[in-house]
Amino acid sequence: MNSLQVVGIDLGTTYSLAAYVENGRAMVVRDTHGVALIPSCISFHEDGTVLVGSAAKARALLDPEHTIFSIKRLMGRNLADLKKELELIPHQIVERETADGRKVLHVNIAGREYTPEELSAMILKEVRRRAGNPSKAVITVPAYFDDSQRQATRDAGRIAGLDVLRIVNEPTAAALAYGLDRRGQGIIAVYDLGGGTFDCSILSLSEGVFKVLATHGDTYLGGDDFDRLLMKAVAADMGVDLSHKDPELLQHLRDAAERTKIALSLAENAELKVEIPTRALHYTRTFSRSEFEQMIQPLIERSLERCQSALRDAQLTPSQVDEVVLVGGSTRIPYVRRRVGEFFGKTPHTELNPDEVVALGAAIQADILTSGRRDMLLLDVVPLSLGIETLGGVVDKIIHRNSTVPARGVTRYTTAVDNQTAILLNIYQGERELTKDCRFLGTLKLAGIPPMPAQFPQVDVTFLVNHDGILTVTAKEQRSGAEAQVTIQPAHGLTREEIEKLVEQSIEYAQQDFTARRLIELRNKAEADIRHTHKGLAEAGDQLTPQQRDAIVTAEEELRAAIRSDDLSALQQAIDRFAQVTNPLATIIMNEVIKKRLSGIAERELKPENI
Ligand code: ADP
Ligand code: MG
């Protein structure tokens, strides 16, 4: 074990663990008691010691101010993303600006500020220590994690001294652990019910390559909720009010509730016992499995609705799913297994421990990457479209949502004004057509373009999303060779709810957006037509008859009025009319020089933003 060089790590919201491959077999790292799961908890003590794992979990409610849990929820997020989380976190969370202008969260604990990356690194360090300090790792993240959340996870690994070989999606890792890649092809549903979160992912497998087709979930649905339901029942029984802060009682209740819940996964009845001798508190109640099932039924129902949504996104029905994989400690509950089996109409895979499969799959992926045995690709998709702002506040998508990573997209642009020597590209993420409805990710400045007339420069903008889902944008002006590149470190991440909302909105507003976009495009075209006509008139206006010139003036007035209106068809007509009356002028100026000039024209004009 001490010679382990590479491991797979499941960095979970409630539990984390590592696994490795030995003699071709994946195995989890266990302590001397055979325990693999390390609670993702950290506690800070007055003497400066920091504990990670079960010792820290034991203090979570007793000394909440010095205990950290669920830090995964803060990874790659900003304050605005965290409205819901903040009320559940007993610590002060602040946002600080870095030297390069990014916003970074800090958690104030035990008189010091830590970033979520540093705190996750403490958990990773403990996981790593137990595995005998390997130097390399594959770390898993939920499929819905965005760029900045993946980046933050990678950073946490680095802080923990790990060379992070790859960030892999949890459902993909689970499918790998079951060796489903050997099937060659098929559709796999991964149902992951953990401590605090739920998600369902639909994967497709083709020629041994996995692709995430869709993922849906609920970031507030998991085993903790089941514990809370039991706690509530008991509190009602005891006549205590849980909202009154009584950390000691809460701690005991929660531990007892979790034990009872786990016992009910094996037995038909289980006792819930709370003993606090110092308070002369002795409480016992027996819960039956069916009683417990009734309590959690609405929550399981909700999870199945999310499965339905994921299937709908993937345009599949339950019967088209070939394999169902259960992930997460809460899928040990027999009722969950039964309901999921009924929903998909087939028996789910449960041969491996559901709270270990993700780590096992990560270990297999790590082994593949380091041994070079098989060149297996794990393909994932870009969750939201990526693009840049073009003239008029329109987002031109360069990589579309659900493109398989690594994904690459190139589009050629040009400038709208003369002598533009620098271009500022604004990069956006989202499904809507206009920048105001998408999320701003960052900018890229391309400088050093020699002065040229408008429409002369040819700027190739390349977007590349790598295996980890990280975006690099390159801009190159082809005539001069001027080039600039940026790796996007989004100022903050998106919540999954936001992603889902953005996707829903894009469907809901598709028609309206289309009209808005078309209007902007036509306005741009009309303005460019007017500009070009003025240029033409200055060059060759004297070769027109007075009637031809008058007709242009009148048509221009009509066109300007149409630009100001919101009437799409009136604008289209005015543009056509303007083209008609300027036709004689266009014919005159279509000499060889102009033709030559036109040969280099790229079709899309960038927002004229000189810097
Ligand atoms: P994570 O949320 O970090 O992915 P896990 O997948 O390890 O965490 O799931 C942890 C949850 O599983 C906890 O709520 C725990 O109480 C629950 N759990 C573990 N074992 C059982 C069991 N036998 N029966 C019911 N719930 C269980
Ligand atoms: Mg998990």
Side-chain angles (χ1 to χ4, degrees):
M1 262 274 296
N2 281 332
S3 60
L4 273 188
Q5 279 307 302
V6 50
V7 287
I9 298 177
D10 172 3
L11 180 61
T13 312
T14 40
Y15 289 98
S16 299
L17 71 156
Y20 59 99
V21 171
E22 197 176 64
N23 301 326
R25 264 196 70 194
M27 310 216 263
V28 297
V29 174
R30 296 183 191 279
D31 66 10
T32 47
H33 306 288
V35 176
L37 300 180
I38 305 166
S40 305
C41 287
I42 313 165
S43 67
F44 295 77
H45 297 254
E46 260 167 32
D47 61 0
T49 53
V50 177
L51 295 179
V52 176
S54 43
K57 187 184 177 186
R59 297 178 60 94
L61 291 176
L62 281 178
D63 187 10
E65 270 156 48
H66 298 103
T67 318
I68 297 268
F69 53 94
S70 295
I71 193 67
K72 189 172 176 177
R73 293 187 188 277
L74 302 192
M75 294 285 276
R77 307 289 206 87
N78 70 358
L79 267 191
D81 295 328
L82 291 174
K83 276 179 223 105
K84 215 168 166 185
E85 278 83 351
L86 282 182
E87 50 194 76
L88 300 170
I89 301 167
H91 310 286
Q92 193 195 348
I93 312 269
V94 288
E95 203 168 56
R96 305 243 176 256
E97 197 148 320
T98 60
D100 59 348
R102 282 180 306 117
K103 293 199 171 111
V104 175
L105 279 188
H106 286 263
V107 182
N108 199 334
I109 184 158
R112 236 204 82 178
E113 285 182 3
Y114 299 88
T115 61
E117 289 88 335
E118 287 173 281
L119 295 168
S120 285
M122 291 179 183
I123 298 166
L124 285 172
K125 263 187 208 147
E126 175 64 15
V127 174
R128 188 176 168 224
R129 189 187 64 76
R130 293 207 196 180
N133 282 317
S135 56
K136 295 176 185 163
V138 164
I139 305 178
T140 57
V141 294
Y144 60 82
F145 255 30
D146 71 11
D147 215 40
S148 69
Q149 292 169 295
R150 283 164 201 262
Q151 190 74 255
T153 305
R154 184 174 269 278
D155 291 344
R158 276 204 206 110
I159 298 168
L162 286 164
D163 173 7
V164 182
L165 300 174
R166 188 162 299 178
I167 299 289
V168 170
N169 285 328
E170 289 162 9
T172 310
L176 260 185
Y178 276 108
L180 298 181
D181 50 307
R182 288 193 290 267
R183 271 186 63 106
Q185 60 182 36
I187 300 290
I188 299 149
V190 180
Y191 179 101
D192 182 348
L193 190 60
T197 61
F198 165 72
D199 45 78
C200 173
S201 306
I202 309 295
L203 312 181
S204 79
L205 174 68
S206 153
E207 288 163 34
V209 172
F210 290 108
K211 183 171 165 178
V212 180
L213 295 180
T215 175
H216 264 259
D218 189 325
T219 41
Y220 287 91
L221 176 59
D224 296 347
D225 295 299
F226 308 158
D227 300 344
R228 244 171 269 134
L229 288 170
L230 286 169
M231 285 166 76
K232 259 195 202 151
V234 169
D237 238 17
M238 293 165 86
V240 297
D241 185 354
L242 284 182
S243 63
H244 285 176
K245 292 236 154 88
D246 185 347
E248 192 185 21
L249 178 65
L250 275 178
Q251 178 90 13
H252 278 91
L253 270 181
R254 193 197 62 180
D255 288 349
E258 189 178 10
R259 270 197 303 272
T260 306
K261 172 186 76 176
I262 290 173
L264 283 171
S265 289
L266 286 174
E268 283 296 330
N269 295 291
E271 250 180 17
L272 194 153
K273 219 173 183 167
V274 186
E275 299 264 358
I276 313 180
T278 51
R279 295 190 182 188
L281 198 156
H282 306 276
Y283 171 89
T284 311
R285 171 171 164 186
T286 303
F287 282 92
S288 73
R289 192 184 269 182
S290 67
E291 216 175 331
F292 177 64
E293 290 178 355
Q294 257 169 32
M295 282 182 189
I296 66 169
Q297 190 232 348
L299 298 177
I300 305 309
E301 224 58 80
R302 205 157 97 206
S303 76
L304 295 174
E305 279 162 25
R306 302 304 157 101
C307 294
Q308 191 67 59
S309 304
L311 281 171
R312 197 184 52 223
D313 269 14
Q315 298 181 329
L316 292 168
T317 59
S319 63
Q320 286 172 292
V321 173
D322 300 300
E323 312 263 3
V324 181
V325 173
L326 292 186
V327 178
S330 302
T331 63
R332 289 176 190 263
I333 298 171
Y335 180 67
V336 173
R337 296 188 171 185
R338 197 164 73 233
R339 293 297 309 270
V340 176
E342 281 163 11
F343 177 84
F344 287 102
K346 54 189 62 72
T347 311
H349 282 283
T350 52
E351 306 91 295
L352 297 170
N353 286 333
D355 30 26
E356 295 175 358
V357 289
V358 168
L360 290 171
I364 293 168
Q365 175 64 16
D367 185 54
I368 290 165
L369 288 172
T370 45
S371 68
R373 271 189 300 110
R374 268 188 301 172
D375 184 24
M376 185 178 41
L377 287 169
L378 295 180
L379 293 189
D380 295 319
V381 292
V382 180
L384 287 169
S385 301
L386 297 160
I388 65 165
E389 176 173 18
T390 53
L391 207 58
V394 169
V395 178
D396 201 24
K397 298 194 176 103
I398 298 186
I399 292 181
H400 287 269
R401 169 178 150 76
N402 276 336
S403 302
T404 305
V405 294
R408 191 170 177 273
V410 191
T411 308
R412 175 165 291 185
Y413 297 91
T414 189
T415 51
V417 296
D418 291 340
N419 303 325
Q420 209 176 320
T421 56
I423 290 169
L424 192 66
L425 295 176
N426 291 321
I427 302 157
Y428 284 86
Q429 182 175 46
E431 299 319 302
R432 303 283 299 277
E433 300 284 353
L434 307 181
T435 51
K436 68 177 176 62
D437 300 316
C438 289
R439 177 164 238 184
F440 176 67
L441 287 184
T443 56
L444 172 61
K445 183 180 168 178
L446 176 62
I449 304 171
M452 282 185 263
Q455 300 202 327
F456 242 61
Q458 298 180 342
V459 182
D460 282 348
V461 177
T462 308
F463 274 39
L464 183 71
V465 177
N466 72 5
H467 277 292
D468 296 335
I470 289 157
L471 169 69
T472 302
V473 178
T474 315
K476 185 172 182 180
E477 201 288 302
Q478 296 297 337
R479 294 180 191 272
S480 59
E483 193 173 344
Q485 190 177 73
V486 66
T487 295
I488 292 296
Q489 303 243 6
H492 36 67
L494 280 174
T495 63
R496 182 184 10 197
E497 282 84 347
E498 274 180 293
I499 291 186
E500 274 167 19
K501 206 151 114 208
L502 290 173
V503 172
E504 272 167 26
Q505 279 178 353
S506 76
I507 298 166
E508 193 176 322
Y509 292 115
Q511 184 56 41
Q512 187 186 325
D513 274 7
F514 178 78
T515 310
R517 181 184 179 130
R518 190 78 194 121
L519 207 56
I520 290 170
E521 282 173 350
L522 285 182
R523 279 181 184 142
N524 289 343
K525 177 170 174 18
E527 270 157 12
D529 287 354
I530 292 173
R531 240 179 10 245
H532 296 152
T533 301
H534 284 185
K535 235 179 186 172
L537 282 172
E539 275 172 41
D542 53 351
Q543 294 176 48
L544 293 174
T545 66
Q547 287 88 336
Q548 283 173 327
R549 279 201 297 270
D550 285 348
I552 291 177
V553 172
T554 314
E556 183 184 324
E557 274 165 18
E558 281 166 17
L559 185 54
R560 284 188 188 280
I563 288 173
R564 285 189 300 268
S565 82
D566 281 336
D567 188 336
L568 199 63
S569 64
L571 183 56
Q572 183 65 63
Q573 275 167 23
I575 287 172
D576 293 345
R577 169 95 191 112
F578 192 65
Q580 241 170 40
V581 302
T582 55
N583 197 29
L585 178 66
T587 315
I588 295 167
I589 56 177
M590 273 285 177
N591 55 40
E592 278 315 301
V593 183
I594 302 291
K595 264 189 207 148
K596 212 191 237 165
R597 225 183 103 169
L598 286 175
S599 66
I601 287 186
E603 52 188 36
R604 295 151 197 256
E605 291 178 343
L606 287 168
K607 193 175 155 210
E609 191 161 8
N610 266 308
I611 34 175

